[in-house]
């Protein structure tokens, strides 16, 4: 697992990719094998590779993660976000373009 050290740099053990990947896949009701194949992973190894990704044994490269995000209908940063951020990203992704513009304008108006 990624751990946060004193310099606030994450280590491998806290990387949430494997957790987010499994959550999104289950929410889409798709098997590991089907997800892997839909993302362009070879049919013979799709199930095994997806299993390794979800167990955190390996992290997919960025190109593969982009393909997985597309199949699952989630933004790529979702895989790296904490729970609150991930939920917000999914909520934003479900909004229409006009609704997203309104939310962005509101956020810009907030005085931080």
């Amino acid at each position: 697992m990624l751990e946060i050290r004193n310099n606030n740099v994450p280590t491998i053990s806290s990387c949430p990719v494997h957790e987010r990947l499994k959550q999104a896949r289950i929410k889409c009701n798709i098997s590991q094998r089907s997800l892997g194949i839909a993302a362009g992973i070879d049919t013979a190894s799709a199930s095994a590779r997806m299993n390794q990704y979800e167990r955190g044994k390996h992290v997919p490269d960025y190109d593969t993660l982009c393909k997985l995000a597309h199949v699952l209908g989630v933004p790529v940063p979702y895989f790296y976000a904490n729970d609150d951020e991930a939920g917000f990203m999914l909520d934003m992704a479900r909004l229409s373009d006009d609704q997203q513009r309104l939310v962005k304008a509101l956020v810009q108006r907030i005085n931080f």
Side-chain angles (χ1 to χ4, degrees):
M1 291 205 116
L2 263 177
E3 299 172 15
I4 304 296
R5 307 280 176 163
N6 288 341
N7 59 3
N8 291 327
V9 175
T11 62
I12 295 288
S13 62
S14 69
C15 183
V17 171
H18 69 284
E19 295 168 358
R20 298 278 173 260
L21 185 56
K22 185 173 183 176
Q23 289 168 351
R25 180 185 61 77
I26 290 171
K27 190 169 188 173
C28 286
N29 196 28
I30 187 171
S31 70
Q32 290 177 335
R33 183 177 187 275
S34 296
L35 174 57
I37 291 169
I41 298 172
D42 182 73
T43 305
S45 62
S47 182
R49 280 187 53 194
M50 292 307 304
N51 184 272
Q52 290 178 347
Y53 294 155
E54 286 188 9
R55 287 187 300 124
K57 182 170 179 151
H58 297 288
V59 177
D61 61 43
Y62 185 75
D63 184 54
T64 302
L65 202 55
C66 289
K67 292 174 185 174
L68 292 167
H70 177 75
V71 173
L72 294 168
V74 299
V76 175
Y78 162 82
F79 293 112
Y80 298 100
N82 67 35
D83 290 342
D84 290 336
E85 293 166 340
F88 180 76
M89 285 182 206
L90 292 180
D91 290 342
M92 282 292 288
R94 286 188 212 115
L95 297 176
S96 69
D97 290 342
D98 287 340
Q99 291 171 321
Q100 287 183 19
R101 279 191 285 279
L102 288 172
V103 171
K104 290 174 186 174
L106 177 61
V107 169
Q108 288 175 349
R109 288 183 24 213
I110 295 173
N111 184 7
F112 292 99

